[in-house]
Amino acid sequence: MDNIIYMLFISVFIPIMLMALLVDKKSRLPIIFMLVGIFVSVFASELNTFLALNLNKDMYGMTTIVTPITEEILKMLPILYYALVISDKKETLFTASMATGIGFAILENAYFLINSPNFSMLTAVTRAFGAGLIHGMCTLLVGVGISFVKKKSKLFVVGTFGLLSTAIVYHGIYNILIQSEYEIVGALLPIATYIPFVIWRIKYRKIHSMEGKK
């Protein structure tokens, strides 16, 4: 892999890291996990490149079979560690997992657009709503799910595996659609998942706000 990925990493990672040192503790959590996501994105790029060379897969085979597995596992690991060692609160894992996925997508999108031969505003918008959200939503699915299965020891291992498998399959379906004649369906798929989460969050906040006033 050429050095452009590391140039992008430095130019994005360092300013966000410097900001994280100045903000208050409550605001620092999503920023830190965005940085984690950015770092994981670099690691995933190297790993995927290595696997592509050794598995003799073409680009389509890599993006539909290999990268959904490697990327979802790598994104899950920091969330799983945080849940096991630091906190398994649903609210915290919601923020951490979404921030990790979005951080991952920021660097991936920047690298993709720079290397895209058909760079255009439409490409940027499609990547923003498509790949940008798919990484966030897949990691969010795992993070929120872990907050539930973590409290049930007998279901934790199989539950976590099920959550990861769901994220991998969903990611794979997106990659297949976005490279097919149904590209528009693929681009809209993450948005269709995002909207129910937004509605759930609004209702969740209203319920907790009413409980706090009692």
Side-chain angles (χ1 to χ4, degrees):
M1 180 179 292
D2 53 32
N3 290 327
I4 188 64
I5 187 70
Y6 296 107
M7 295 177 188
L8 289 171
F9 172 74
I10 291 170
S11 64
V12 173
F13 189 93
I14 290 179
I16 297 176
M17 180 187 69
L18 295 176
M19 179 179 66
L21 298 175
L22 296 177
V23 299
D24 58 72
K25 187 176 180 180
K26 186 176 180 181
S27 302
R28 196 173 297 149
L29 178 70
I31 297 175
I32 289 174
F33 275 95
M34 279 188 67
L35 293 172
V36 169
I38 292 169
F39 178 81
V40 170
S41 185
V42 174
F43 188 84
S45 295
E46 290 290 358
L47 177 59
N48 290 334
T49 300
F50 172 80
L51 292 175
L53 293 173
N54 288 275
L55 295 177
N56 295 318
K57 294 282 187 182
D58 59 13
M59 182 59 68
Y60 185 80
M62 282 295 299
T63 56
T64 57
I65 299 173
V66 180
T67 60
I69 298 174
T70 57
E71 291 175 0
E72 294 310 325
I73 290 176
L74 290 174
K75 288 187 295 175
M76 180 197 70
L77 290 177
I79 303 302
L80 184 60
Y81 175 83
Y82 189 85
L84 291 174
V85 178
I86 302 175
S87 173
D88 60 359
K89 293 181 180 179
K90 181 166 57 179
E91 187 73 18
T92 304
L93 289 178
F94 188 102
T95 300
S97 56
M98 188 64 176
T100 300
I102 295 301
F104 187 102
I106 287 173
L107 194 66
E108 183 186 80
N109 280 351
Y111 182 70
F112 176 87
L113 291 174
I114 286 176
N115 287 278
S116 176
N118 300 312
F119 183 92
S120 67
M121 183 60 70
L122 180 60
T123 307
V125 172
T126 302
R127 290 289 304 186
F129 284 99
L133 272 182
I134 197 69
H135 285 297
M137 298 313 299
C138 285
T139 314
L140 180 62
L141 169 67
V142 175
V144 173
I146 287 176
S147 70
F148 289 101
V149 300
K150 171 67 169 55
K151 296 176 173 62
K152 300 178 181 180
S153 56
K154 293 183 179 180
L155 296 176
F156 178 67
V157 175
V158 67
T160 301
F161 179 78
L163 292 165
L164 177 61
S165 299
T166 303
I168 289 171
V169 171
Y170 186 50
H171 190 163
I173 291 172
Y174 166 80
N175 284 357
I176 290 171
L177 289 173
I178 206 69
Q179 298 177 80
S180 72
E181 58 184 306
Y182 303 104
E183 180 181 359
I184 186 64
V185 178
L188 293 175
L189 187 61
I191 301 174
T193 311
Y194 176 76
I195 292 174
F197 268 97
V198 172
I199 295 173
W200 173 68
R201 287 291 288 174
I202 292 173
K203 291 182 178 180
Y204 178 84
R205 286 171 178 168
K206 284 183 178 179
I207 292 172
H208 279 260
S209 177
M210 291 174 63
E211 289 177 349
K213 293 178 180 179
K214 292 181 180 179

